[in-house]
Amino acid sequence: MVTIDVPSNYGLVLLSVVSTFITGSYLGMRVGSFRKAAQVPYPFEYASYEQVHSASTPERKAKLLAFNAAQRGHQNFNENHLNMVGSLLVCGLVHPKVAASLGAFWSVNRVLYAVGYTNWGKDGKGSRRLRSNATSRPVRDPRQVSRSLYDTQKVPDQWFA
């Protein structure tokens, strides 16, 4: 029978995992405020192309686009959340402090990404999201970092592409 030894500081990993759920809740509430401002009713997930392009005023169009951007930022979080939590829980068994740190870093960067995604620069694109996404790139899968610490081999560059 296989036994799993849980490190004494594994609580840090669990705290980091809890922070990801708090992040998800915050992003969901953010989408709700953008939905209310754009007046997009449920059950529609996004404002349609027709709604955006037939908006009566530029302000209305901006609110619809901002809602869509907030929704995409939250969806991006949802698409990566389960993999991240699983990776944290497994990697935390070997490197609890590293996993907890990377989990907290990932949570902060998901918020920065979502906020940046809804803030457009002069070019009309959410350019701030690129900066926050670039900083969270190595955190996408902490198994890669854990493996590099465990095997003491150089992590191939294509893992972070």
Side-chain angles (χ1 to χ4, degrees), residues 12 15 17 20 22 28 30 38 71 87 108 111 113-114 150 157:
L12 296 172
L15 185 63
V17 168
T20 66
I22 293 169
R30 226 173 150 263
Q71 186 73 301
S87 297
V108 168
V111 171
Y113 177 85
Y150 185 71
D157 291 334

Side-chain angles (χ1 to χ4, degrees), residues 77 86 139:
F77 169 85
V139 189

Side-chain angles (χ1 to χ4, degrees), residues 83-123:
N83 292 333
M84 183 62 181
V85 167
S87 297
L88 283 177
L89 293 173
V90 171
C91 294
L93 292 171
V94 179
H95 301 288
K97 290 180 183 176
V98 172
S101 300
L102 291 174
F105 185 72
W106 185 81
S107 291
V108 168
N109 273 284
R110 289 293 88 196
V111 171
L112 293 176
Y113 177 85
V115 169
Y117 207 88
T118 56
N119 293 326
W120 293 283
K122 292 179 183 176
D123 59 354

Side-chain angles (χ1 to χ4, degrees), residues 34-93:
F34 278 96
R35 177 182 294 278
K36 187 175 182 180
Q39 298 174 346
V40 176
Y42 284 106
F44 301 110
E45 189 173 12
Y46 292 100
S48 69
Y49 178 84
E50 292 80 17
Q51 284 178 303
V52 172
H53 289 286
S54 67
S56 55
T57 63
E59 293 81 21
R60 170 103 170 111
K61 182 175 183 177
K63 288 179 181 180
L64 290 168
L65 289 173
F67 165 68
N68 282 352
Q71 186 73 301
R72 282 194 302 271
H74 187 226
Q75 286 293 75
N76 183 278
F77 169 85
N78 289 334
E79 291 165 0
N80 293 293
H81 187 230
L82 184 61
N83 292 333
M84 183 62 181
V85 167
S87 297
L88 283 177
L89 293 173
V90 171
C91 294
L93 292 171

Side-chain angles (χ1 to χ4, degrees), residues 12-30:
L12 296 172
V13 176
L14 298 178
L15 185 63
S16 181
V17 168
V18 168
S19 80
T20 66
F21 288 99
I22 293 169
T23 299
S25 297
Y26 168 73
L27 295 177
M29 288 186 291
R30 226 173 150 263

